[in-house]
Structures are given as structure tokens and as C-alpha cells.
Amino acid sequence: MRLSRSFLPTLRDTPKEAEIVSHRLMLRAGLIRQQAAGIYSWLPLGKRVLANIERIVREEQDRAGAIEVLMPTLQSADLWRESGRYDDYGKEMLRIKDRHEREMLYGPTNEEMITDIFRSYVRSYKELPLNLYHIQWKFRDEVRPRFGVMRGREFLMKDAYSFDIDEAAARRSYNRMFVAYLRTFDRLGVKAIPMRADSGPIGGDATHEFIVLAATGESAVFLDKEALDAPVPGADTDFSGDLTPIVSAWTTKYAATEEMHDKSAFEAIPEDRRLEARGIEVGQVFYFGTKYSTPLGAKVSGPDGADHDVHMGSYGIGVSRLVAAVIEASHDDAGIIWPSSIAPYQVGLINLKAGDANTDAACDGLYQRLMNAGIEVLYDDVDGRAGAKFATMDLIGLPWQLIVGPKGLANGEVELKRRATGERETLTLDAAVNRLVAG
Amino acid sequence: MRLSRSFLPTLRDTPKEAEIVSHRLMLRAGLIRQQAAGIYSWLPLGKRVLANIERIVREEQDRAGAIEVLMPTLQSADLWRESGRYDDYGKEMLRIKDRHEREMLYGPTNEEMITDIFRSYVRSYKELPLNLYHIQWKFRDEVRPRFGVMRGREFLMKDAYSFDIDEAAARRSYNRMFVAYLRTFDRLGVKAIPMRADSGPIGGDATHEFIVLAATGESAVFLDKEALDAPVPGADTDFSGDLTPIVSAWTTKYAATEEMHDKSAFEAIPEDRRLEARGIEVGQVFYFGTKYSTPLGAKVSGPDGADHDVHMGSYGIGVSRLVAAVIEASHDDAGIIWPSSIAPYQVGLINLKAGDANTDAACDGLYQRLMNAGIEVLYDDVDGRAGAKFATMDLIGLPWQLIVGPKGLANGEVELKRRATGERETLTLDAAVNRLVAG
């Protein structure tokens, strides 16, 4: 994409309303624009990151055997009356009346609706296990939305729901999602640690939060350092096999958020392995048994011929929140440092003398060669000061900067900068292209 | 995808509430489930079709130089007061109050919000032309929602908005979208004809509707048959060039919906070229000048140094509606006939004797070979009657059926059926794979 034909409105000044670094950087880098309290538009660069995260989340859900559907944003109040949550949910639920005065709501989550879908179609244990997920906008009417998309009101979430014949099978479904989450967050370029958590309004007796470690995180976390070293399961993981060993490896070492913190258990860990850090919740997995299936009548006939209320779990990932969480975990004073897997573009190609025929030709050629190799390039082809161009590229945080000016070209050379480390190399044009193609 | 691990709830009986064929087939084939009046969940097969349509729409928007953003579903009422539409819009607008009693609405369209984004960042004519689009759920509170997703309340729409310094430039933007639409609908496998249209509540003086011809369409259309023969612009179309000849070729022959029909003009066409047909609106393009930029103060400095209200256009495609429109245009008594470009899978692989070791092995091998070749296969690996399997495959309408049974296998043969024509061929396994890989 040529900068001259794109829409990347970066801000020079730090917006006053932004209290945390990810919010400041998302506004400054032109990723989002606030439209109302806690409600944001995603500008082109932000939309690309969001789509990349969505793609990785989807791939790992599919790999783990979950099946994608798409439920609507608005729901009928009737379903929520069946589960008893319509009255329980409080003011965070956005309640709406349509033109016929029918009571509706903007879904904050989808346990009721997915259970309704399940009970409409599934009759036999032979159709289980079943795990349905969707990636859809949700709304929670936070009393004081803040921190940008970290605690917005309208937010994008992946939520999956598993259905099983009994608790043992449901624990296997839970483990599949647990392992999918380890892979997902690893691919997104963040270190996320599963921690025992409180089940909150979803209910249930087994639940883990996945917490991204970031110095600027919202909550304190307490860890055995060895919890950081468990290996991430590979792409060849057999999701039909026994995943208990993987889950155990990630859950036996001490790791807890502040609210679940057990001081004496923590202090039983050798002192040099105790880590107090900060983190951001980016996902949560729940097993909640028959909490929804019983009131909503979601049952299947079992091998014994009798009806059984299905055992359910739900599994959320905060897709839009992750954009902010990744930035909290990966930035410096100059701006964002995108992990390659979700960067809006891989390379920022900087023309230091736009308008100069030679420099333009060299840049146009590099742009074409990189695009032909399938590399996504943001090509700064506009006339401007070098310092401003460098600052903008650092701010938006693409993994590589390819810097092309008349001086270097006189020697047949360009400069390649790696954003994460600041390392710079002077290379021939061919060598630079080869380096970028190699990844 | 193995049928045994998927979730494809087809219905045997025709649902009584469905008045039109696409609605009936979408319910029977398990594409959608109604959650409330005019509000639907997309089940796995439907979600895949929707995603395919979205992808093609996105590719053609990008090709034409439009830039993707994503605006939220909920909007503040304040912006709509600035344009004057908050009071004008009537009961189709779903009005909402949040916990602080602030007035909001579920966006039925986004002219106001995109104009707000524009005015916040763009200052100079040098940043033009600019065309921003998004693909997002909208809500229109129809008094009597019906016909499934054809006239739903919550629906997925692609809407693009162009900004130009003057009318001449805005007409060029209009032409780019016009040509992108010709390409989009062609790739979706439908014949869509642009027709002069009424501008309705969006306003504006140039507008065309794109109408898919379908015998079961909602409205009568009147055509010069020669309007059907204009060539669809190719993938190599130069969107920075003059597109007037393409637009002229598609707009000079008579083509009008009932509401814009001019009987005497129609009767001036030689009788053998007059065509009365039925159609479904799937897209509309508008040029509306400064209707929104003036009240909202969206101006740029021009080459003359003075401020100019920008000239705008908007361009919609009904993404979710298209699923139904394609079915109206492409089905038979047995079910849906998906165009290859948007089919949920390309091939339905039918195991006629699931459980038989030989047949299972042959099917498993074919499944693996086709997947390795990048072909999307729905593999019916469940134990069931041949007749029911054929009926389900015909109903869900994948382009190809690959039928594998012990009798054919004894001769080293399988059967390949093309859904659109019903043609069947007996082939060796290798020949069948080669045929499918060739497309």
C-alpha cells in the first residue's frame, strides 16, 4: 500500500484523555478513533491488526475441532429469562425495546443463545462432542469505560461453547480449548499464562484466565518463575489424544491473579523463583456443567437410552482487547513494536527523496519485488522530512524498515532496520530483498 | 470437513413460515436459524457462504482503491442530530438509551459517522480522492420483517463512502465503485444489472441500483435485452483510468425497476428486445454532493487556498441479503446450486458404505488427496441410506459430488456428479481427482 493512497492519520501530540500506553499509542498511530464513550472506529491500520488476530484465533479454534457459526448481536430477552440471567445481569446489559416494545438486549455473551441452538437440533450423544464458536461484537455497558479498547463497551470477542454427555468428556473439551489458547497466544507473539480464576457471573467450578504479562498490566499477578518455562504445544498436537499432560504442565506451578492469590502457597515457593508481575486478561475458559442446559432443557439421549442434561463449557478470547494487550507487552518510547504475525504490514519502505527520479525508481522496483514475493509493504512515497518519516515508522511499529535514499543508492545500497532491536544493516538492493523474503 | 465432526442440521420438512424459496432452502439446508423476528444465527454452512461473499466484496473494493475501516454498530444520536436525520429517520431506526440515559442508536447506515471521521483528520485536497469502506452489521427495525435474510432486521452490509474536491472528481469515484460492483456480482456468479433508481432517504441526484435477475425476485424490472450483453470489466481494469466508457456501456440501454419505469421509453424499444423480468436489489451507488459535508462541516482547502465542502458518494452491497439473492437466482426443485466462487465446499464426498473397510479407505484417501490439493471437501463419512445422502447433497448444493461405493470400487471406479447440470461420469479415482483439481 502506498502511503499517498492510504489513510493513516497519525497524531503528533499525545491525547490527554488516554491514561495507559496502549491507548495513547493506538490513538497516536491512527489505529482507532473514539466515537462515543467506550465505542471506537477501527482505522485502516487498526483494522488490519484486528483482522490478523481474528485469523489466528480462527485457525486455532478450527484446528482444535471447534466449528464456526455467527450469532447476531441483538438477542431476545425471553431466552435470558429462561436462564434467570435477565434480571441478574444488572446495568452492564444494554437493554433495548424495538418498535413493537419487545424487550431485547445487545448480547454481552451467548450462553443462552447457543444453548437454544443446541437444543433445537441435537438429540443424541452420538452427535457429541460439539464445540461451536463465533467471533462477534458484544456490548457491556461499563459504568466508566476507559483505557481505550482495553475496557471498551462495544468489543470483539471470540466465544466458544462446548457440549458433552458428561463431566469427563466436558473436561476433555476444556483441555482442547486450553491447549488451543496456549497456541493462539503464542502465535500472537505474547506470553500468556493460564491462572486459576474466579468464575464470576458465568458460573462454574473450573476456570482459568489467560494473562498476558506486561509491566503496565491492569492487575498484579504472582508466579512461580517455572510457570514461564512450560513448552507451547506444536502445530502437530493431536487434539483427539490425551491433552492432560500439557494442561498439567501449565497448571501445576503456582500462578494466580491478585483476587485468587494464596499468600502462604506463594511463600512456600523458593524465594528466587517467586515472581510478582503485572498482567492483562486476554482469555478465559470455563467448565460450568449443567448450569444452562438444565434450565433451558438442553438434553440428549445417552447410550443408556435416558435423557441427560449436557455438560457445557465456554471459552472467550478478547479479540479487540488483544490489540491493546499486545501493545502493552510490546512497545518502547518511540512507539509500537508489532509481532510479525499480526503486524499490519511486514515492511515499511521509506523513500527519503520522493520526487527524485532515481530514488523513486529504486523504491518502486523494491515495492514491486516485495509485493510479488507476497510480502505486505507500506510504501512511504510522499514528500517529507526524513526525521518525520522515521518517527512515524517507529510509531506504527512495522517489523522492518527499508530505507532508500540517493546517497546509499549511489553505492547501490539501502538500509534495513529491524524495529524490535533497532539494528541497522547496509545492504545491496538484492540482499535486502532476499533478507526480507527469508523472513 | 468430516460430516461426523461437523454441525449441519438440515431439516426434512419445509418450514411453514418461509414464504419464498431462498428462505425455505436456507432453513432446510441448515444455513440459518431465526433467533427473533428478522434476526438470524448463521449456522456453519451459512457462515462459510457469508465469509466467501465478504471476501470477494473486500477484494474488489480493495482493487478499486477503497480502504477498509470498521465502524462500530452503535452510534451516538448527536451526530445524527447534526445532519438532521435523527428526527427524519422514523421508526426503522432502533433507538437505544444507555445506563446514563444517553441517546444512542444501532446504525442503519454510516454517512454521519464516516463524515465525522473524515472531518477529524483530512484538511487538504491533496489527500483526496478518498474512499473508505467497512463491512459491518446494521439494524433496520422493519415493521414486518420477512423473507428470511432477504428482509431481515440485523443484516450485514458493505458500505463505502467517497470524498472528493468537486463533482467531476466525485463522478470518477462513483464510476470506480460502479465498475467494482460489476466485477463483484460477476464473481459472485449472479447477473446483476445496474438500473436508474430513486434516491430515497440517502438523498442525491445520481444513483443506480444493482438488480439480480431471478424469476422469484421481489420487484418487476423492465429491460432492453441488449442491457444483458454488456461485457464485465476484467481483473486488469485500470481504476486510475477513464471508466466512463464502461459505465456508459452499462447505462445507455433501457433498464428500470417498476418505480422508475417509463412506459413510453420502454415501448420505443423494438418489441423483440423488450424484457419484463423480476429482480432483487443487492447493491446501490449514490452520488449526493455536499448533502452531509455541509451540515457536518467536512471541508478541505482546495488548490485555490479556499475551503470547499467535499463532494460525497455512498455505495452499499447487501452482503447477507446476497446469500438469499444467489439462491433465488440459482436453485432447482432439489435444492441450492451454489456458484463455485461462494460454495461452502467445492466437493461433497459421499461414502455409500461407511463402516466398510475398503470403502472407508478409498474415501479417506480421496479426502486426503483433495485436501492436499487445496480443495475444500465436505466428507459424508456417516452411516446412512444412499437416498438420504444424495438428497442432502443436492439440497446443500455443493458444485461437485464424488460418490464412492463398493460396487464401483470393485472396478476401480467412482462417480462424479456436477450439481448444476446433474451430469454424472464414471471415472477412475485418479481421473476423478484430476478433474476436480483442474476445477
PDB file of all heavy atoms in Angstrom, chain B residues 286-301:
ATOM      1  N   PHE B 286     -24.663   5.809  -4.833  1.00  0.00           N
ATOM      2  CA  PHE B 286     -25.235   7.159  -4.768  1.00  0.00           C
ATOM      3  C   PHE B 286     -24.162   8.220  -4.941  1.00  0.00           C
ATOM      4  O   PHE B 286     -23.084   8.101  -4.339  1.00  0.00           O
ATOM      5  CB  PHE B 286     -25.825   7.458  -3.379  1.00  0.00           C
ATOM      6  CG  PHE B 286     -26.950   6.598  -2.960  1.00  0.00           C
ATOM      7  CD1 PHE B 286     -26.723   5.471  -2.191  1.00  0.00           C
ATOM      8  CD2 PHE B 286     -28.246   6.927  -3.300  1.00  0.00           C
ATOM      9  CE1 PHE B 286     -27.773   4.679  -1.768  1.00  0.00           C
ATOM     10  CE2 PHE B 286     -29.305   6.141  -2.878  1.00  0.00           C
ATOM     11  CZ  PHE B 286     -29.070   5.014  -2.113  1.00  0.00           C
ATOM     12  N   TYR B 287     -24.462   9.254  -5.664  1.00  0.00           N
ATOM     13  CA  TYR B 287     -23.689  10.494  -5.556  1.00  0.00           C
ATOM     14  C   TYR B 287     -24.613  11.506  -4.916  1.00  0.00           C
ATOM     15  O   TYR B 287     -25.733  11.701  -5.400  1.00  0.00           O
ATOM     16  CB  TYR B 287     -23.222  10.990  -6.928  1.00  0.00           C
ATOM     17  CG  TYR B 287     -22.791  12.434  -6.895  1.00  0.00           C
ATOM     18  CD1 TYR B 287     -21.653  12.805  -6.173  1.00  0.00           C
ATOM     19  CD2 TYR B 287     -23.538  13.428  -7.524  1.00  0.00           C
ATOM     20  CE1 TYR B 287     -21.270  14.135  -6.094  1.00  0.00           C
ATOM     21  CE2 TYR B 287     -23.159  14.764  -7.451  1.00  0.00           C
ATOM     22  CZ  TYR B 287     -22.026  15.110  -6.733  1.00  0.00           C
ATOM     23  OH  TYR B 287     -21.647  16.425  -6.636  1.00  0.00           O
ATOM     24  N   PHE B 288     -24.207  12.119  -3.798  1.00  0.00           N
ATOM     25  CA  PHE B 288     -25.118  13.080  -3.175  1.00  0.00           C
ATOM     26  C   PHE B 288     -24.458  14.411  -2.849  1.00  0.00           C
ATOM     27  O   PHE B 288     -24.971  15.159  -2.015  1.00  0.00           O
ATOM     28  CB  PHE B 288     -25.818  12.483  -1.958  1.00  0.00           C
ATOM     29  CG  PHE B 288     -24.913  11.741  -1.004  1.00  0.00           C
ATOM     30  CD1 PHE B 288     -23.992  12.425  -0.241  1.00  0.00           C
ATOM     31  CD2 PHE B 288     -24.995  10.363  -0.886  1.00  0.00           C
ATOM     32  CE1 PHE B 288     -23.162  11.746   0.641  1.00  0.00           C
ATOM     33  CE2 PHE B 288     -24.166   9.671  -0.011  1.00  0.00           C
ATOM     34  CZ  PHE B 288     -23.239  10.362   0.755  1.00  0.00           C
ATOM     35  N   GLY B 289     -23.332  14.693  -3.504  1.00  0.00           N
ATOM     36  CA  GLY B 289     -22.745  16.030  -3.384  1.00  0.00           C
ATOM     37  C   GLY B 289     -22.400  16.394  -1.955  1.00  0.00           C
ATOM     38  O   GLY B 289     -21.745  15.639  -1.247  1.00  0.00           O
ATOM     39  N   THR B 290     -22.882  17.543  -1.505  1.00  0.00           N
ATOM     40  CA  THR B 290     -22.485  18.056  -0.194  1.00  0.00           C
ATOM     41  C   THR B 290     -23.604  17.911   0.851  1.00  0.00           C
ATOM     42  O   THR B 290     -23.589  18.612   1.865  1.00  0.00           O
ATOM     43  CB  THR B 290     -22.089  19.546  -0.310  1.00  0.00           C
ATOM     44  OG1 THR B 290     -23.235  20.273  -0.739  1.00  0.00           O
ATOM     45  CG2 THR B 290     -20.958  19.746  -1.311  1.00  0.00           C
ATOM     46  N   LYS B 291     -24.532  17.000   0.582  1.00  0.00           N
ATOM     47  CA  LYS B 291     -25.675  16.825   1.486  1.00  0.00           C
ATOM     48  C   LYS B 291     -25.245  16.607   2.946  1.00  0.00           C
ATOM     49  O   LYS B 291     -25.892  17.099   3.872  1.00  0.00           O
ATOM     50  CB  LYS B 291     -26.523  15.649   1.001  1.00  0.00           C
ATOM     51  CG  LYS B 291     -27.729  15.341   1.886  1.00  0.00           C
ATOM     52  CD  LYS B 291     -28.548  14.187   1.286  1.00  0.00           C
ATOM     53  CE  LYS B 291     -29.439  13.505   2.315  1.00  0.00           C
ATOM     54  NZ  LYS B 291     -30.598  14.245   2.781  1.00  0.00           N
ATOM     55  N   TYR B 292     -24.195  15.837   3.178  1.00  0.00           N
ATOM     56  CA  TYR B 292     -23.729  15.617   4.551  1.00  0.00           C
ATOM     57  C   TYR B 292     -22.534  16.482   4.919  1.00  0.00           C
ATOM     58  O   TYR B 292     -22.379  16.878   6.063  1.00  0.00           O
ATOM     59  CB  TYR B 292     -23.389  14.133   4.781  1.00  0.00           C
ATOM     60  CG  TYR B 292     -24.594  13.263   4.596  1.00  0.00           C
ATOM     61  CD1 TYR B 292     -24.859  12.662   3.379  1.00  0.00           C
ATOM     62  CD2 TYR B 292     -25.515  13.114   5.630  1.00  0.00           C
ATOM     63  CE1 TYR B 292     -26.010  11.909   3.190  1.00  0.00           C
ATOM     64  CE2 TYR B 292     -26.670  12.368   5.446  1.00  0.00           C
ATOM     65  CZ  TYR B 292     -26.912  11.765   4.229  1.00  0.00           C
ATOM     66  OH  TYR B 292     -28.051  11.048   4.053  1.00  0.00           O
ATOM     67  N   SER B 293     -21.680  16.790   3.937  1.00  0.00           N
ATOM     68  CA  SER B 293     -20.475  17.547   4.271  1.00  0.00           C
ATOM     69  C   SER B 293     -20.810  18.967   4.717  1.00  0.00           C
ATOM     70  O   SER B 293     -20.165  19.500   5.617  1.00  0.00           O
ATOM     71  CB  SER B 293     -19.498  17.559   3.085  1.00  0.00           C
ATOM     72  OG  SER B 293     -20.097  18.127   1.936  1.00  0.00           O
ATOM     73  N   THR B 294     -21.832  19.561   4.130  1.00  0.00           N
ATOM     74  CA  THR B 294     -22.174  20.933   4.517  1.00  0.00           C
ATOM     75  C   THR B 294     -22.684  21.011   5.960  1.00  0.00           C
ATOM     76  O   THR B 294     -22.089  21.723   6.779  1.00  0.00           O
ATOM     77  CB  THR B 294     -23.174  21.552   3.521  1.00  0.00           C
ATOM     78  OG1 THR B 294     -22.589  21.527   2.213  1.00  0.00           O
ATOM     79  CG2 THR B 294     -23.519  22.985   3.900  1.00  0.00           C
ATOM     80  N   PRO B 295     -23.728  20.236   6.329  1.00  0.00           N
ATOM     81  CA  PRO B 295     -24.169  20.356   7.733  1.00  0.00           C
ATOM     82  C   PRO B 295     -23.133  19.886   8.737  1.00  0.00           C
ATOM     83  O   PRO B 295     -23.062  20.415   9.850  1.00  0.00           O
ATOM     84  CB  PRO B 295     -25.435  19.485   7.790  1.00  0.00           C
ATOM     85  CG  PRO B 295     -25.372  18.593   6.597  1.00  0.00           C
ATOM     86  CD  PRO B 295     -24.623  19.361   5.553  1.00  0.00           C
ATOM     87  N   LEU B 296     -22.296  18.918   8.363  1.00  0.00           N
ATOM     88  CA  LEU B 296     -21.328  18.379   9.318  1.00  0.00           C
ATOM     89  C   LEU B 296     -19.979  19.104   9.231  1.00  0.00           C
ATOM     90  O   LEU B 296     -19.059  18.789   9.992  1.00  0.00           O
ATOM     91  CB  LEU B 296     -21.141  16.870   9.094  1.00  0.00           C
ATOM     92  CG  LEU B 296     -22.324  16.000   9.554  1.00  0.00           C
ATOM     93  CD1 LEU B 296     -22.280  14.628   8.913  1.00  0.00           C
ATOM     94  CD2 LEU B 296     -22.351  15.864  11.078  1.00  0.00           C
ATOM     95  N   GLY B 297     -19.858  20.045   8.305  1.00  0.00           N
ATOM     96  CA  GLY B 297     -18.626  20.830   8.236  1.00  0.00           C
ATOM     97  C   GLY B 297     -17.411  20.027   7.789  1.00  0.00           C
ATOM     98  O   GLY B 297     -16.316  20.200   8.324  1.00  0.00           O
ATOM     99  N   ALA B 298     -17.586  19.157   6.796  1.00  0.00           N
ATOM    100  CA  ALA B 298     -16.449  18.396   6.274  1.00  0.00           C
ATOM    101  C   ALA B 298     -15.906  19.125   5.050  1.00  0.00           C
ATOM    102  O   ALA B 298     -16.481  19.045   3.967  1.00  0.00           O
ATOM    103  CB  ALA B 298     -16.882  16.972   5.914  1.00  0.00           C
ATOM    104  N   LYS B 299     -14.829  19.863   5.264  1.00  0.00           N
ATOM    105  CA  LYS B 299     -14.281  20.665   4.171  1.00  0.00           C
ATOM    106  C   LYS B 299     -12.779  20.473   4.084  1.00  0.00           C
ATOM    107  O   LYS B 299     -12.132  20.097   5.063  1.00  0.00           O
ATOM    108  CB  LYS B 299     -14.630  22.139   4.319  1.00  0.00           C
ATOM    109  CG  LYS B 299     -14.645  22.684   5.739  1.00  0.00           C
ATOM    110  CD  LYS B 299     -15.022  24.156   5.735  1.00  0.00           C
ATOM    111  CE  LYS B 299     -16.304  24.491   6.501  1.00  0.00           C
ATOM    112  NZ  LYS B 299     -17.442  24.858   5.697  1.00  0.00           N
ATOM    113  N   VAL B 300     -12.252  20.718   2.903  1.00  0.00           N
ATOM    114  CA  VAL B 300     -10.800  20.696   2.719  1.00  0.00           C
ATOM    115  C   VAL B 300     -10.390  21.986   2.033  1.00  0.00           C
ATOM    116  O   VAL B 300     -11.198  22.624   1.360  1.00  0.00           O
ATOM    117  CB  VAL B 300     -10.342  19.503   1.851  1.00  0.00           C
ATOM    118  CG1 VAL B 300     -10.595  18.174   2.554  1.00  0.00           C
ATOM    119  CG2 VAL B 300     -10.983  19.537   0.473  1.00  0.00           C
ATOM    120  N   SER B 301      -9.123  22.357   2.209  1.00  0.00           N
ATOM    121  CA  SER B 301      -8.615  23.504   1.459  1.00  0.00           C
ATOM    122  C   SER B 301      -8.299  23.028   0.047  1.00  0.00           C
ATOM    123  O   SER B 301      -7.734  21.948  -0.152  1.00  0.00           O
ATOM    124  CB  SER B 301      -7.366  24.071   2.125  1.00  0.00           C
ATOM    125  OG  SER B 301      -6.340  23.112   2.118  1.00  0.00           O
TER     126      SER B 301
END
